[in-house]
Amino acid sequence: MSNNNGTLLEVKNLRTYFETEDGTVKAVDGVSFALQRGETLGIVGESGSGKSVTNLSIIRLVPNPPGRIAGGEIVFAGQDLLQLTEEEVRQIRGRRISMIFQDPMTSLNPFMKISRQLMEMTRLHLGHNKAQAYEHAVKMLEMVGIPDARARVEDYPHEFSGGMRQRVMIAMALSCEPELLIADEPTTALDVTIQAQILELIKKLKQRTGTSVILITHDLGVVAGMTDHVVVMYAGKVFERAPTRELFALPGNPYTRGLLRSVPDPTAEQGKLYQIPGLPPDVAHLKPGCPFAPRCDRVAEICRQEFPPFVQLNAEHYSLCHFAAEVYRESQKESSTSL
């Protein structure tokens, strides 16, 4: 049963830690967000910000050891997934929540035909017999645009191109018509034309099935065209959370502004590309204060001493920053000046 307000997924104060020789790595540290039914949520941030670990935590696939979910709640359709047994989670994973992983070559079994890998899903979760599962596999390959699907379903993964393998992964993820699809960098290592095709495919299938989507990416252009809301992550924490249009027009966090400035502008004069100075922090040895302080262009002494508050800028817009209100006002001024 879903919540009355249409919320499909609510993550509350999620903490996922890894024990290493260098100490405890707080890969996800107090992350909270919600996803409404039928919506697409974008999760963005630099490499190492905690995007993928957050979503592996949602489907309870964090390797233990060395990882462990140290606390929080993951409420999916009214159930806290962290309170379920492994068998109960297995019934949900693949059936009601599916994930497209970054690299389809390592996600598909190279020794099994595509047909068998697709059939496993529906035989396990939908109770299909062998013939039904086979026909469903062919139908799913046709749906994701693989030509001559009935013949290609008997191929092995190495006989498909990178883009086609990603289509197979999408077919597998959508085989049981899940309520939630998590797409983790679904276009990594694909050329630009194939990227566009894959993203358009996800968008069309979402419209057709009504599936809610979490899209993990470092590509802000993809986020702008695909999502309803955005969560910006840094050092295992949510640094900003807002509706997509609002975030792009009126960022309320220096880190978000840095990410947006890093996107190449084809209309601007030719010159040096902007990049955020420095490197992401070592989350096993975070210093006091704001994790972004060493790289921030408006850092003050309070930033180095005190961890920033999560400031509400309007009804749906939040920013983790001592100067969130000032950054937001600056964005408003810049926006009105450019009109």
Side-chain angles (χ1 to χ4, degrees):
M1 276 205 15
S2 65
N3 296 339
N4 293 331
N5 62 359
T7 301
L8 176 65
L9 176 74
E10 194 168 5
V11 175
K12 303 176 186 176
N13 197 27
L14 178 65
R15 300 188 304 283
T16 303
Y17 299 163
F18 291 82
E19 300 301 332
T20 71
E21 292 178 359
D22 292 332
T24 301
V25 175
K26 296 182 177 181
V28 175
D29 195 18
V31 166
S32 298
F33 61 84
L35 174 69
Q36 304 300 309
R37 287 185 177 275
E39 274 194 339
T40 299
L41 173 73
I43 300 182
V44 300
E46 294 169 298
S47 296
S49 61
K51 308 184 299 294
S52 294
V53 176
T54 296
N55 289 281
L56 287 172
S57 301
I58 289 172
I59 54 175
R60 298 257 303 264
L61 281 181
V62 174
N64 183 5
R68 62 188 171 91
I69 298 175
E73 294 177 61
I74 302 169
V75 182
F76 173 72
Q79 278 185 305
D80 185 355
L81 300 184
L82 298 184
Q83 302 302 317
L84 302 183
T85 65
E86 183 55 43
E87 180 55 38
E88 288 170 329
V89 172
R90 200 177 288 122
Q91 294 300 318
I92 291 172
R93 192 191 300 136
R95 173 67 182 92
R96 299 178 66 193
I97 303 176
S98 283
M99 188 162 181
I100 304 169
F101 294 92
Q102 282 189 34
D103 183 1
M105 198 59 210
T106 56
S107 303
L108 293 168
N109 188 325
F111 301 107
M112 287 170 60
K113 290 181 178 180
I114 296 296
S115 58
R116 187 173 164 196
Q117 297 187 58
L118 283 167
M119 289 165 66
E120 273 188 345
M121 292 287 294
T122 54
R123 294 195 76 177
L124 175 65
H125 291 297
L126 301 182
H128 282 178
N129 61 33
K130 197 171 180 181
Q132 289 171 325
Y134 189 86
E135 289 304 316
H136 191 76
V138 173
K139 179 181 141 192
M140 291 306 298
L141 288 189
E142 289 172 345
M143 191 170 88
V144 297
I146 290 183
D148 199 13
R150 192 167 291 277
R152 297 307 307 270
V153 78
E154 290 301 314
D155 288 345
Y156 289 89
H158 72 270
E159 297 178 89
F160 283 67
S161 67
M164 289 178 75
R165 283 196 292 266
Q166 195 62 289
R167 287 171 185 265
V168 171
M169 287 300 300
I170 294 170
M172 195 177 291
L174 293 173
S175 281
C176 300
E177 296 190 3
E179 295 161 65
L180 172 60
L181 174 67
I182 300 172
D184 187 0
E185 301 275 10
T187 57
T188 296
L190 301 178
D191 65 61
V192 177
T193 309
I194 303 299
Q195 281 185 27
Q197 291 175 2
I198 294 296
L199 293 169
E200 189 59 30
L201 175 63
I202 292 173
K203 192 185 280 188
K204 281 182 180 174
L205 293 174
K206 173 185 176 289
Q207 290 167 350
R208 187 187 305 176
T209 61
T211 298
S212 301
V213 177
I214 293 177
L215 180 65
I216 307 164
T217 182
H218 60 271
D219 190 331
L220 289 167
V222 168
V223 168
M226 291 278 294
T227 64
D228 302 296
H229 287 80
V230 184
V231 168
V232 180
M233 288 189 67
Y234 185 78
K237 299 181 182 296
V238 174
F239 259 54
E240 191 158 10
R241 195 174 74 210
T244 304
R245 210 173 263 187
E246 161 105 4
L247 185 101
F248 276 78
L250 303 170
N253 193 288
Y255 175 56
T256 308
R257 292 188 71 164
L259 289 177
L260 292 171
R261 283 181 65 193
S262 302
V263 178
D265 183 358
T267 64
E269 289 182 32
Q270 214 170 12
K272 194 174 178 182
L273 292 172
Y274 175 81
Q275 65 178 29
I276 300 172
L279 295 169
D282 176 0
V283 289
H285 302 100
L286 285 176
K287 294 178 180 176
C290 176
F292 188 59
R295 308 173 70 192
C296 186
D297 58 7
R298 63 179 306 135
V299 63
E301 192 55 35
I302 190 173
C303 306
R304 296 189 179 94
Q305 301 298 328
E306 295 180 25
F307 190 81
F310 204 47
V311 179
Q312 184 171 8
L313 298 170
N314 66 31
E316 293 186 274
H317 195 163
Y318 295 82
S319 172
L320 189 78
C321 180
H322 290 290
F323 301 103
E326 289 178 30
V327 176
Y328 187 63
R329 281 196 295 271
E330 286 170 15
S331 297
Q332 286 176 317
K333 281 181 190 172
E334 290 171 13
S335 179
S336 61
T337 306
S338 63
L339 291 176

